[in-house]
Amino acid sequence: MSAFKPVRGMRDFLPEEAKIMKYIENQARKTAELYGYKEIITPVVESYELVAAKAGEEVRLRMYAFEDLSGRKVALRPEFTASVARLAATTLRNEPKPLRLFCVGSLYRYDEPQKGRFREFWQSNFELMGSNKPEADAEILLLTNRLMKSVGLKNHKFKIGHVSVLRSILSREGLTEEIQNQVMQRMDKKLHDEALRMVQDAGASEKGIQTIKKLVNLRGEDISKVLEDMTNTVKDYAEAVEAVKNLGEILSLVAKSGEKLGIIVDAGFARGLEYYTGMIFEVYVPELDIALAGGGRYNKLVELFGGEPTPAVGVAHGIDRIMLALQEQKVKTCMKETQPVMVIPVSESLNAEALRIAETLRMENIPVELEVMGRKVSKALEDADRRGINHVIIIGEKELKEDAVVLRNMQKKEQTTIKIRELATILKPSQAS
Ligand code: HAM
């Protein structure tokens, strides 16, 4: 037995799991098409400076960062947003807005491995750039809902907040951006007491502290009630009132879309990434306490990377976690599978003929598995049976003289002699299952 195994936090996906991962990825790609997002492919290795800029302490400290052989400080991407913002600031700078971009691939974070938390994971990522309108935020929420529904998830819920509610109060209370980031990190980890202590130590007024304390405890599914309570709580902070209004506009558009989204508005909600400036959200299912997706509005990142001021909003869906949720909810993914046909030569001298017939069928888009183990027909048939193959083509000397082969139906245990030229027509309708 070899001593080699995957590195801690890394996984192999065997065919069954790989199939589900690809299925989710394809649903995400379909969603991108439905909403007009163009797919791009960005590099796994990015400059450290770029991905570290606004990643937030948590992600920053967990990056796979290293020097390449020329001494460049690089990192394996921990997310897509920085790469897409880089493109918007450079190559795509002059593209007409809005820009709708989609990407899918693997990301790397040195997180502590546990259920649903891996060091290599996959996201489908959507960015909508150039619009500061609530319709853009609503679109990101709706497309996320569409993807969750299309893969077959049940009872998913959106947790939604607005970073500007807390941040504008912290600003008015004189906290520097650096301290604000630290407070938001604590909030993200639900270390509310620690966060409040920090706000106090930074010299915030008693009113400021009390306002934040109230916000932290404000959440619920009755959207208009929570929004009203939020407005009353922050009434002395004009920018925070604006933020609540903006959140209200987004949620009102979502409500009018005709889609019913399960939504919890959470006034004290914060996310680890530091670039968010507006609405933020995560998606949960009752079976798991980790988020299946996360996103929000970030209006300053493209500019920070040297681009034109470009308001933007986006989301990333965790493909691994969606798979986990599907398994937890015992959802049967409806994937079309084409059953291969097995081709077995009765003797070695007919190998080339078997290969030729297999290729002819593949040209007709019929998947074929060729017997390559040199087994006797009986053994090869046993194997086909074990693997649930429906049709086997047996190539024999006698039939070949008549340009024919034996076609065996494994379930019915019946076989007939068929002309080779008729094979494709006979096999085609039975392929889809
Ligand atoms: P995020 O919340 O860091 O946001 O990640 C989005 C999703 O990726 C999470 O909700 C989760 O499903 C998945 N994910 C994150 N870390 C792991 C992990 N260690 N193992 C498995 N899955 C994980 C972002 O990445 C932002 N770039 C989203 C965004 C796009 N915001 C605006 N545009």
Side-chain angles (χ1 to χ4, degrees), residues 77-80 105-109 119-123:
R77 60 186 179 198
E79 55 145 358
F80 280 115
S106 58
L107 296 308
Y108 302 84
R109 295 183 194 173
R119 291 182 177 170
E120 181 184 49
F121 58 96
W122 275 259
Q123 285 182 345

Side-chain angles (χ1 to χ4, degrees), residues 103-216:
C103 36
V104 64
S106 58
L107 296 308
Y108 302 84
R109 295 183 194 173
Y110 203 75
D111 283 336
E112 196 46 37
Q114 48 188 286
K115 189 174 179 183
R117 196 175 292 282
F118 313 104
R119 291 182 177 170
E120 181 184 49
F121 58 96
W122 275 259
Q123 285 182 345
S124 75
N125 185 89
F126 293 71
E127 309 291 355
L128 170 45
M129 303 178 131
S131 166
N132 196 17
K133 299 261 181 244
E135 325 43 314
D137 304 65
E139 176 171 307
I140 291 293
L141 292 169
L142 287 169
L143 71 81
T144 297
N145 179 58
R146 170 111 9 248
L147 173 59
M148 298 296 158
K149 275 172 80 169
S150 75
V151 295
L153 277 180
K154 292 172 276 216
N155 305 326
H156 62 277
K157 280 226 158 86
F158 285 78
K159 177 161 108 176
I160 307 186
H162 198 298
V163 285
S164 187
V165 177
L166 286 174
R167 283 214 186 245
S168 58
I169 296 171
L170 296 177
S171 287
R172 263 277 300 281
E173 292 293 333
L175 272 69
T176 61
E177 199 185 327
E178 181 55 36
I179 299 195
Q180 282 183 35
N181 289 343
Q182 290 178 20
V183 172
M184 298 303 265
Q185 292 288 339
R186 304 296 181 287
M187 292 273 194
D188 176 39
K189 290 190 195 139
K190 308 223 165 31
L191 303 170
H192 296 136
D193 290 343
E194 217 177 289
L196 279 162
R197 220 170 305 127
M198 261 181 168
V199 177
Q200 195 163 16
D201 292 349
S205 69
E206 189 51 31
K207 187 175 89 181
I209 295 165
Q210 288 311 321
T211 307
I212 292 171
K213 228 181 209 168
K214 274 191 204 150
L215 285 176
V216 165

Side-chain angles (χ1 to χ4, degrees), residues 59 78-81 109 111 116-119 121 123 125-127 271 273 275-276 282 291-296 298 313-318 320-321:
V59 172
E79 55 145 358
F80 280 115
T81 309
R109 295 183 194 173
D111 283 336
R117 196 175 292 282
F118 313 104
R119 291 182 177 170
F121 58 96
Q123 285 182 345
N125 185 89
F126 293 71
E127 309 291 355
R271 282 178 39 76
L273 297 156
Y275 45 65
Y276 292 115
E282 279 175 346
L292 303 192
Y298 55 100
V313 55
V315 60
H317 313 106
D320 319 62
R321 290 192 186 172

